[in-house]
Amino acid sequence: MIDRAQVLHVARLARLELTDDEVGTMSRELSAVLDHIEKIGELQLDDVPATSHVIDVVNALRPDEPVPSLPREQALANAPEVVDDGFGVPSPGAA
Amino acid sequence: MSDGSGYEPVIGLEIHVQLKTNTKMFCGCELSFGDPPNVHTCPVCLGLPGALPVVNARAIHYALMVGMALGCELAPRSIFHRKNYFYPDLPKGYQISQYDIPICSGGRLGDVRIHRAHLEEDAAKLVHVGASGRIHGADASVVDYNRGGTPLVEIVTEPDVRSAAQAREWLTLLRETLRQLGVSDVNMEEGSLRCDANVSIRPVGSDVLGTKTELKNMNSFRYLERGVEAEIARQIALVQSGEEVVQETLHYDPVSGSISSLRSKEEAHDYRYFPEPDLVPVVLTETMIEGARAELPELPAARAERYESALGLSADSARLLAFRPELGAYFEAALAVDGESPQVLANWISGELVARIGDEDPAASKVTPAAIAQLVALVRGRAVTQGAAKTVLDRLVADGGEPQAIVDAEGLGAIGGGDELTEVVKRALESDPAAVEKLKGGNMKAIGPIVGFVMRETKGRADGGEVTRLVREQLGL
Amino acid sequence: MSADLIALSARDAAEQIRHGRISADELFAAYRERAAADAAKGEDGLNAYTWVADVTPSAPAASDAAPLAGVPLAVKDLFCTEGVPSQSGSKILAGYRPPYNATVVDKLASAGTTLLGKTNQDEFAMGSSNENSAFGAVRNPWDASRVPGGSSGGSAAAVAAGLAPWALGTDTGGSIRQPAALCGIVGLKPTYGSVSRYGMIAFASSLDQAGPFARDVTDTALLYRHMVGRDGRDSTSLQHPDEIALPKGVDLKGIRLGVPEELIGEGVESGVREAFNQTLALAEQLGATVETTHLPHAPHALSAYYLIAPAEASSNLARFDGVRYGLRADADDLLSMYTRTRAEGFGPEVKRRIMLGTYALSSGYYDAYYGRAQKVRTKIAEDFRSAFDSFDFIVTPSAPTVAFKLGEKTADPLEMYLQDFCTIPMSLAGIPAISIPNGLSDGLPVGFQIAGPAFSENRLLDAAYVLEQALGFDGSKVRA
Ligand SMILES: [Mg+2]
Ligand SMILES: [Zn+2]
C-alpha cells in the first residue's frame, strides 16, 4: 500500500509534477503492483548473494588516453537554452 | 583546546582531491583548467542518452597510490554506486561514486586516522549570471561541463582533529603527501584540493560526540583555520546560551567571517544509492598493486621520521625539511658534502637560507648545497664566526661562489685570541669607563656595549666567547 | 519487380547484390517506398516508423568486409543514429538528433547495411503492446485492430509487413520475443553482454540487450553475426566465444528439451498451449527428448523484474531534465523546470515505473525491494543453471496470448505486465532466447521460445532452424 503522502514524497524525489488526479491514480496502481510484488517477501533469501550483473566481467578499464571532444556547437546544439556558451538554466533557488 | 570554555572541538575532515590524469574519470575528454566553457565534453560526460561510462585505469592507479601513502587497506574488489539527485551540474541525474565498498579504507596520516578514500566523478561548474541574456527576465545560471567527470579521490578522516590549527597543519601534511605522489595539483584556490570539515564540540573529558555541522568548501588553508575556529566559537556560544547545535551544512564567508546555512531543504537526503549497472567491479591484481607501489616516492611523514631517528633532527626541523620536498632534497645534497652536524646544517637551511630566498627552490638559487655545507663547516671549525658567516651567506645568495674564497677576499676570517683582538678589547674598555665600572661591580650584563664595540671594529669576525674571556682577563675578573 | 525484391530474404538480397543481379539502390527504393507510404498514413497505417530516410544512402560495395552491402535496415527508435531522430518513443526527446551513433549501428553500417528508418516503440521501451509511444500506437499487420506487442512493436510490425527486410530491436523483459511472436516473425534476445549497449537509450541497464528481428532464422543469424563483439565503450560487453554461424541441421537428435511447469500453466491461453504442445510433439518426431522440468523461482521473476527494471529506469531517466537536450517546460525556478518538464515529457507508463523504481530504492525500502529482487535474480539464474545440467534448452510459449485488441489491457498495468511472464526469467538470468513463429491460433501468430545457456546462440539458432523448417510457417500473406 502506498498512500497519497508517499506518492507525493516519491514524486518529489523523482522530480515529477503530478496533478491531484494523478496522485490518486498512482496511489491505486502502485499499490496494486506492489501487492503482487510483495510476494517475494515470502521467500527465504537470507544467505543468497545479490546479483547486480549476470556477467562475470571485472576490470573493464580504459587507458588514460585523450579522445577528441565534441565541438562546442555540437555539444550545445540540442540545448533548450544557451547562455554565454553554456547551458542556461533557471537559477537554483530551493531546487 | 584549552581555551577555558570547558569544551573541546571534535573535527573530521572530508577532502576532495582532483586527480591529475590526462582524461576524465569515465570518458576520454581531456582535463582542463581555465579553458573556455564546454569545449571538453562528449556524449558520456554530457550525459547524452545512450552513453556509457568506462573507468580510467590511471584513476585506479592513482587511488591505489593515495591508499598506500595513507596506510589504507586496499579493497581486493570494489564497486561503484550511483548517488541519485537532481542538479544542473550533474548531467546524468546521479553521481558515480563508491559507497559501501570503497577502494581504500582505514589508514593513518600523521596523528589523524583515515576512515576511507574512494573514487568518484566531479560535478560540472554552475555559474550564476543573473537576469542577463534571458528571455523571461528571471535569474539564470549557466552550466559549463568541462570540469564535469574529472576524477576525484574523496578522503574522509576519523574525527581525530582537536583544533582549527591542527586541521590546517594536518591538511598541509596531506597536501604535501599528495603533491609528492604526483597525483594532483593540490591547489586549494583552483579547487584541485577541497576541504569540508565536520565540526562538533563536547565538554572536555567527555567521550560523547555532539551534534556536528558540515562546513563546506573552504578554499584556502587560512580560511579553513578561520572557518573552523569561527564554527567552534559559534557552537560554544550556542551551547553556553542554552541552545542546541542543529545538524546542517554551513558556508563560511571569509570576507565577513560569518557562517550561514547553505541548504535549508536537506529534504531527507535520499540519494537512493544502488550498484552502478553500467560498470563492473574493480578487482585488484598483483600487477596493479605492484605498479602503484613502484611509483611511491618517500613521503613526508616517512621522511620526517627518518630525519628524526637517523639524523637526530628535532621534530620541528625534521618536519620543516620533510614537508617541503625541495628543501629536503637540498638538505640531503648538502649533507652528502658534509655530514658532521645535521642539526646545524638543517638550521642554516631552514632558517638563514629560507629567510633570504623565501619560497624559491634552493636548488635554483646561487647557493649550491656544497657551499652551504662548507659554510657550516667553517663555522664549526671556528674559522668564521656566526655573524661573519651570515655575511658570507648574503654574498652567496647574491653572487654565488665558494665560502672560503669570499672569506679570504673580504677578510671575514675569525680573529683568534692573538694580539690583534687583545688590542681591540683594550681599546673598547678604554672607550667606555662607565661599563668598566659596572663590570668591576659584578654586573656582567654591562659587557654588551664592549662586545658590540669589538664586533664593530672587527666587522663581526671576533668570536664572542673569546672577547668575553679577554675582557675578564684584562679587568682581572 | 518491386514485389519480387520484397519477397527476397535479406540473405538472398545480399547475395544477389553481390552478384550484381539486383542493385542496392533499387532494393532500398522498394523498401523506402513501402515504409514511407505507411508512415504517411500515420496512425491509420501500421505506424511502424517514426522516421524514414528520404534519400538513398550510399552503401559500401558488397565485399568480404561489407557482406551485407546494400541491405536496408530498420532500427528501433532508441538506438542513437547520428543526425537522425532518436527519440525512444518519448515526447521528452521529440526531434532529438544525437551527435553520435550507437556502436551496433556503426557495426551494421560497416557490414554494409543502410539505414532505412527508425521504428516506433513503447516509450523508453516500457510496454508490451506499443500503445505507450508518444508517436501513436503501432498496429499488428495480421489484424490492424490488434497490437503488435512491445516494446519493439514498430520493428516487429515493419519486418512482418515487409516494410523492412529485417530490423533491430531491444529486449529488456521480452521486448523482442513477445512482439516477434505476436507478429509471426523471428526475434532473438542474445546473451547479456554480447552486443554493445553503447548508444542504446537505456531502460534498465542490467537487462537491456539489443537483438535482431527477421523473417526467418537464417536472416536472424546473419544480422546477429554482425552485431556481436566486445566494445571498449561498454564495460558490460564481452567477446562472444564463437563466430555466429548460419544455422544448419535437419533433425534434433540427442537434443533434450525441458518444459518448465511454472511457465506453461494458467495464464497461457488454450490456443497458444495447443500450438506449443504440437510443436513439442514435432520436436520429438525430429529426435528430441521432451521432459517436464522446474524453475522453482520463475513465479517470482515478474516481481523481481518489476523492481529491478523500474529502479534502474528511475535512475537512467533522471538525465531527462530539460537542461542539455529534449523538452523543457516553461518555469522561472529550477525545481518547477524539472518537475514540469518531466511531467509534460513522460507518458503515464513511464511515470508509473519511475515512481515504482524511485520508491523501491528509497530510504528504508531498498533491502525489502531492490535488495531482495537481486537475490531472487540470483536464485532464478541458479534455477536455469541446474536445468541446463539436464537439458540443452528450455522451451516455453513466447507469450501467453496471441495479439490482443488495442486498448484491451491498458486499464490494468498488472495485466499488461503478465504478457512478459514467459520471457522475463531469461532476461533476469541474462541467457539467450529466441522466438520463432509457431503457427496460428484463430488466424493470429503464436510464438515458440527456446532458451539456452549463456553464449549458446549458435546451438540455439540451429535448433530454431530445424523447427522452423519442419513447421513451414508462411508469413508472406501479410507482406503483400
Ligand atoms: Mg563526494
Ligand atoms: Zn567526455
Side-chain angles (χ1 to χ4, degrees):
Chain A
M1 179 61 201
I2 168 164
D3 62 25
R4 290 181 63 95
Q6 281 173 300
V7 166
L8 286 169
H9 169 70
V10 173
R12 162 78 191 221
L13 284 177
R15 297 295 186 272
L16 278 175
E17 187 177 76
L18 298 180
T19 64
D20 213 43
D21 275 359
E22 283 175 314
V23 175
T25 317
M26 205 62 93
S27 165
R28 256 194 334 276
E29 290 174 345
L30 293 183
S31 296
V33 173
L34 284 168
D35 259 5
H36 181 90
I37 284 174
E38 269 159 4
K39 287 183 197 138
I40 65 167
E42 298 158 11
L43 291 168
Q44 220 306 55
L45 297 167
D46 286 351
D47 298 320
V48 179
T51 294
S52 17
H53 290 102
V54 287
I55 43 160
D56 191 20
V57 178
V58 298
N59 294 347
L61 305 176
R62 174 178 63 77
D64 185 27
E65 288 157 12
V67 169
S69 294
L70 290 172
R72 181 164 59 208
E73 313 76 66
Q74 231 181 346
L76 292 170
N78 286 297
E81 182 181 350
V82 175
V83 180
D84 299 342
D85 293 330
F87 297 83
V89 289
S91 278
Chain B
M1 209 163 83
S2 54
D3 62 353
S5 71
Y7 290 95
E8 75 168 355
V10 176
I11 303 159
L13 302 176
E14 283 182 28
I15 303 97
H16 285 86
V17 184
Q18 280 186 346
L19 297 181
K20 209 164 59 177
T21 47
N22 296 321
T23 65
K24 293 185 179 182
M25 183 70 214
F26 298 114
C27 67
C29 289
E30 280 185 90
L31 299 192
S32 66
F33 183 77
D35 283 340
N38 294 303
V39 295
H40 297 284
T41 73
C42 71
V44 177
C45 61
L46 278 179
L48 296 192
L52 298 171
V54 184
V55 174
N56 183 337
R58 198 188 307 269
I60 301 284
H61 177 71
Y62 282 172
L64 293 179
M65 287 174 67
V66 170
M68 288 172 178
L70 301 182
C72 300
E73 207 167 292
L74 308 176
R77 178 188 181 93
S78 64
I79 61 169
F80 288 92
H81 269 68
R82 290 187 185 176
K83 179 181 183 179
N84 294 283
Y85 65 96
F86 287 85
Y87 211 65
D89 63 9
L90 195 66
K92 302 184 292 297
Y94 53 85
Q95 180 195 33
I96 304 178
S97 181
Q98 295 193 301
Y99 181 54
D100 53 5
I101 318 177
I103 190 158
C104 310
S105 52
R108 170 184 290 278
L109 180 68
D111 44 10
V112 174
R113 287 170 301 150
I114 305 295
H115 176 60
R116 61 184 280 161
H118 70 250
L119 274 165
E120 61 185 30
E121 56 179 338
D122 206 350
K125 200 167 79 186
L126 186 67
V127 185
H128 187 74
V129 294
S132 70
R134 281 197 101 215
I135 314 147
H136 305 298
D139 272 13
S141 296
V142 174
V143 203
D144 168 11
Y145 290 98
N146 282 349
R147 190 185 73 184
T150 299
L152 294 178
V153 164
E154 180 178 333
I155 299 166
V156 182
T157 76
E158 297 290 352
D160 287 351
V161 178
R162 291 291 173 273
S163 73
Q166 190 197 353
R168 177 185 180 152
E169 198 198 335
W170 185 82
L171 192 63
T172 313
L173 170 59
L174 177 69
R175 181 181 60 172
E176 281 318 315
T177 303
L178 295 168
R179 193 202 304 281
Q180 292 190 39
L181 287 175
V183 300
S184 171
D185 287 331
V186 286
N187 185 321
M188 286 191 88
E189 283 74 17
E190 290 179 0
S192 50
L193 181 72
R194 307 199 285 267
C195 184
D196 306 336
N198 292 310
V199 180
S200 66
I201 56 166
R202 65 184 174 195
V204 172
S206 160
D207 55 6
V208 181
L209 290 174
T211 303
K212 68 179 180 187
T213 56
E214 191 183 3
L215 207 50
K216 279 281 182 198
N217 271 345
M218 290 148 290
N219 62 358
S220 80
F221 286 88
R222 208 155 36 118
Y223 294 161
L224 167 69
E225 183 168 355
R226 285 193 199 160
V228 170
E229 228 152 50
E231 176 54 12
I232 294 167
R234 189 188 71 92
Q235 289 192 14
I236 290 176
L238 264 183
V239 173
Q240 282 178 338
S241 66
E243 291 177 65
E244 282 190 355
V245 175
V246 183
Q247 180 160 3
E248 59 187 335
T249 303
L250 301 169
H251 172 75
Y252 171 70
D253 179 0
V255 179
S256 66
S258 67
I259 284 175
S260 54
S261 191
L262 201 57
R263 285 178 222 153
S264 51
K265 50 136 202 156
E266 293 299 308
E267 53 156 77
H269 261 193
D270 194 339
Y271 290 129
R272 288 159 282 134
Y273 281 100
F274 73 104
E276 165 58 289
D278 288 332
L279 293 174
V280 296
V282 174
V283 173
L284 297 186
T285 62
E286 208 49 40
T287 315
M288 288 159 88
I289 294 171
E290 286 317 311
R293 204 185 308 284
E295 282 186 32
L296 280 189
E298 184 185 33
L299 295 166
R303 189 179 263 206
E305 170 59 30
R306 178 165 62 84
Y307 287 171
E308 269 191 77
S309 60
L311 300 177
L313 295 197
S314 72
D316 279 352
S317 281
R319 283 192 185 199
L320 270 170
L321 295 173
F323 291 6
R324 272 186 64 188
E326 72 282 8
L327 279 192
Y330 184 86
F331 168 67
E332 292 191 32
L335 204 64
V337 175
D338 183 300
E340 285 272 306
S341 44
Q343 181 68 61
V344 179
L345 188 59
N347 293 346
W348 274 90
I349 292 171
S350 59
E352 296 299 330
L353 181 61
V354 167
R356 285 166 175 76
I357 64 170
D359 288 337
E360 190 195 329
D361 181 353
S365 77
K366 290 183 174 159
V367 190
T368 63
I372 200 143
Q374 282 162 16
L375 186 59
V376 168
L378 289 174
V379 173
R380 192 174 56 235
R382 293 180 185 271
V384 178
T385 64
Q386 291 271 349
K390 289 175 189 175
T391 309
V392 174
L393 187 57
D394 287 338
R395 299 283 181 281
L396 287 170
V397 168
D399 307 314
E402 296 262 310
Q404 187 62 59
I406 295 170
V407 168
D408 292 345
E410 309 215 357
L412 289 168
I415 304 168
D419 292 347
E420 191 188 349
L421 192 56
T422 309
E423 182 56 33
V424 179
V425 170
K426 194 170 165 208
R427 274 193 281 126
L429 291 172
E430 283 166 2
S431 75
D432 197 345
V436 170
E437 275 313 302
K438 285 183 192 160
L439 283 165
K440 282 183 171 167
N443 181 0
M444 282 310 285
K445 278 184 189 160
I447 202 167
I450 304 296
V451 174
F453 182 97
V454 174
M455 291 300 175
R456 265 193 313 279
E457 290 286 300
T458 62
K459 294 184 187 138
R461 292 150 58 223
D463 181 82
E466 184 62 12
V467 173
T468 304
R469 198 187 61 77
L470 287 169
V471 167
R472 286 176 178 272
E473 187 185 279
Q474 292 188 20
L475 294 178
L477 296 171
Chain C
M1 181 60 200
S2 168
D4 296 344
L5 289 175
I6 300 302
L8 288 172
S9 73
R11 183 197 182 198
D12 289 346
E15 214 34 45
Q16 304 229 9
I17 294 171
R18 269 176 94 94
H19 292 104
R21 288 190 213 112
I22 62 172
S23 89
D25 286 6
E26 256 183 308
L27 182 68
F28 191 88
Y31 275 109
R32 203 205 78 80
E33 203 174 293
R34 291 169 66 91
D38 181 67
K41 288 188 235 164
E43 292 188 54
D44 294 331
L46 296 178
N47 200 24
Y49 283 91
T50 50
W51 177 86
V52 177
D54 50 13
V55 289
T56 305
S58 55
S63 68
D64 288 345
L68 307 181
V71 183
L73 176 72
V75 173
K76 189 177 183 179
D77 194 17
L78 61 67
F79 289 92
C80 285
T81 42
E82 188 178 342
V84 168
S86 307
Q87 313 161 115
S88 206
S90 182
K91 184 180 168 192
I92 211 161
L93 277 178
Y96 174 68
R97 291 167 190 259
Y100 76 106
N101 275 333
T103 295
V104 65
V105 168
D106 270 340
K107 281 181 83 92
L108 290 171
S110 26
T113 64
T114 45
L115 180 62
L116 174 60
K118 299 297 287 287
T119 57
N120 204 345
Q121 60 168 92
D122 279 309
E123 184 179 7
F124 289 109
M126 298 177 191
S128 306
S129 67
N130 224 306
E131 292 163 289
N132 299 331
S133 169
F135 306 100
V138 177
R139 293 167 184 276
N140 192 311
W142 291 80
D143 176 350
S145 69
R146 293 178 186 266
V147 304
S151 66
S152 314
S155 286
V159 172
L163 310 182
W166 50 17
L168 278 188
T170 63
D171 189 314
T172 305
S175 284
I176 288 176
R177 292 160 286 165
Q178 184 255 11
L182 270 50
C183 289
I185 60 170
V186 180
L188 170 69
K189 184 211 89 88
T191 305
Y192 182 84
S194 56
V195 180
S196 170
R197 292 185 296 114
Y198 190 78
M200 259 170 64
I201 300 174
F203 161 17
S205 310
S206 75
L207 296 157
D208 292 347
Q209 191 59 200
F213 282 105
R215 289 175 207 162
D216 62 35
V217 176
T218 304
D219 279 359
T220 301
L222 182 60
L223 189 57
Y224 183 53
R225 171 195 282 180
H226 297 285
M227 294 171 67
V228 297
R230 156 109 183 108
D231 178 13
R233 289 180 297 185
D234 175 2
S235 308
T236 63
S237 77
L238 319 127
Q239 190 57 47
H240 209 286
D242 319 305
E243 195 189 336
I244 302 304
L246 292 189
K248 56 189 182 315
V250 290
D251 59 35
L252 296 174
K253 284 206 177 78
I255 299 291
R256 300 157 301 167
L257 300 180
V259 180
E261 206 150 59
E262 293 80 3
L263 299 182
I264 54 156
E266 61 175 309
V268 177
E269 64 185 25
S270 61
V272 171
R273 182 174 302 129
E274 209 170 292
F276 179 67
N277 288 334
Q278 278 172 20
T279 301
L280 290 181
L282 179 65
E284 282 181 319
Q285 286 168 30
L286 290 164
T289 59
V290 178
E291 264 179 68
T292 296
T293 183
H294 290 282
L295 297 171
H297 296 86
H300 296 283
L302 194 73
S303 301
Y305 176 85
Y306 275 99
L307 289 167
I308 292 169
E312 292 180 6
S314 72
S315 176
N316 284 333
L317 270 53
R319 67 187 61 196
F320 301 102
D321 59 4
V323 176
R324 292 161 309 283
Y325 43 78
L327 182 78
R328 173 188 295 189
D330 264 351
D332 285 341
D333 67 280
L334 185 66
L335 180 62
S336 321
M337 193 277 276
Y338 281 150
T339 58
R340 279 180 213 155
T341 295
R342 293 165 61 80
E344 286 176 27
F346 293 138
E349 181 60 25
V350 171
K351 286 181 192 169
R352 197 149 42 224
R353 297 208 199 177
I354 289 175
M355 290 289 291
L356 184 57
T358 304
Y359 178 71
L361 289 175
S362 67
S363 172
Y365 296 99
Y366 181 92
D367 289 339
Y369 291 132
Y370 191 76
R372 279 192 85 76
Q374 286 198 320
K375 291 179 169 194
V376 174
R377 191 169 186 181
T378 305
K379 298 304 284 182
I380 287 168
E382 281 174 7
D383 285 355
F384 275 109
R385 268 197 295 280
S386 60
F388 289 131
D389 285 343
S390 315
F391 299 99
D392 295 292
F393 303 114
I394 295 295
V395 293
T396 74
S398 306
T401 69
V402 293
F404 46 93
K405 295 267 189 195
L406 286 154
E408 189 183 321
K409 294 185 196 288
T410 43
D412 182 358
L414 202 55
E415 204 195 326
M416 186 73 88
Y417 295 171
L418 287 167
Q419 267 296 304
D420 294 326
F421 183 74
C422 299
T423 47
I424 279 175
M426 297 77 181
S427 298
L428 289 169
I431 59 175
I434 191 169
S435 176
I436 58 168
N438 190 27
L440 301 176
S441 164
D442 291 335
L444 292 167
V446 175
F448 186 83
Q449 176 177 232
I450 315 170
F455 299 112
S456 67
E457 277 89 339
N458 275 335
R459 291 196 292 119
L460 200 61
L461 287 159
D462 283 347
Y465 175 76
V466 171
L467 277 176
E468 173 188 60
Q469 300 306 306
L471 282 161
F473 179 80
D474 180 10
S476 63
K477 83 167 201 193
V478 291
R479 290 198 294 274

